[in-house]
């Protein structure tokens, strides 16, 4: 597919050098775009629910993007890897918590919709794992 190659080259230019990480991030971008599209279509009459769904998917995609990009470099760090990992982890955790708090309190988003949006990364990981397992079974 042409769009896959364009997104793969875009991600490679952004520092995603490992092919499996690139495919995971690419699929997460697809899931987020699909989730936001579904939220836009369904938003008539369900605006807080649709906003929560889209916001959860976008928030977890930013988190996943950051984690995937940093995780590639973490494997090659000789010193300070643990401290760097902890600082970035807690920084993302605090910012995500504040964003979720703001979406719930001020945005009046549905908690269930936020959880559904946040779970897109789990769906992505499951599909990626099943696809990888199926490929290994076919090769055997």
């Amino acid at each position: 597919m042409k769009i896959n190659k364009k997104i793969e080259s875009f991600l490679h230019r952004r520092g995603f050098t490992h092919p499996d990480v690139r495919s995971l991030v690419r699929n997460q971008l697809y899931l987020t775009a699909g989730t936001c599209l579904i939220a836009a279509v369904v938003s008539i009459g369900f605006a807080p629910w649709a906003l929560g769904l889209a916001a959860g998917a976008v928030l977890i995609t930013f988190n996943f993007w950051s984690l995937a990009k940093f995780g590639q470099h973490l494997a090659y760090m000789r010193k300070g890897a643990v401290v760097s990992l902890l600082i970035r982890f807690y920084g993302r955790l605090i910012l995500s918590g504040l964003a979720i708090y703001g979406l719930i309190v001020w945005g009046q988003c549905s908690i269930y919709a936020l959880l559904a949006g946040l779970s897109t990364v789990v769906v992505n990981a499951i599909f990626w794992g099943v696809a990888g397992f199926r490929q290994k079974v076919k090769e055997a």
Side-chain angles (χ1 to χ4, degrees):
M1 289 173 89
K2 212 173 193 182
I3 190 82
N4 278 351
K5 290 187 182 200
K6 286 183 179 180
I7 291 176
E8 292 269 341
S9 68
F10 169 78
L11 291 173
H12 195 273
R13 287 191 310 267
R14 297 294 182 273
F16 293 97
T17 55
H18 196 277
D20 287 335
V21 173
R22 257 195 327 267
S23 71
L24 272 167
V25 174
R26 182 196 67 216
N27 292 343
Q28 183 62 33
L29 290 173
Y30 287 157
L31 272 172
T32 301
T35 302
C36 289
L37 182 66
I38 289 170
V41 169
V42 175
S43 69
I44 301 169
F46 301 104
W49 189 86
L51 175 67
L53 181 67
V58 168
L59 180 64
I60 200 65
T61 300
F62 282 130
N63 275 316
F64 188 68
W65 177 289
S66 175
L67 178 66
K69 190 168 184 180
F70 183 66
Q72 293 180 118
H73 303 294
L74 189 66
Y76 301 108
M77 289 179 74
R78 298 240 180 223
K79 291 186 178 182
V82 174
V83 173
S84 296
L85 178 67
L86 287 174
I87 289 171
R88 289 182 70 105
F89 171 76
Y90 283 114
R92 271 195 322 273
L93 183 67
I94 290 168
L95 291 175
S96 296
L98 290 173
I100 290 170
Y101 177 79
L103 286 166
I104 292 170
V105 172
W106 294 302
Q108 299 297 313
C109 292
S110 166
I111 295 171
Y112 299 113
L114 272 170
L115 287 174
L118 291 171
S119 67
T120 58
V121 78
V122 176
V123 171
N124 180 19
I126 289 171
F127 281 137
W128 179 79
V130 168
F133 180 73
R134 288 182 65 207
Q135 185 178 11
K136 287 181 183 177
V137 169
K138 286 181 183 178
E139 291 174 359

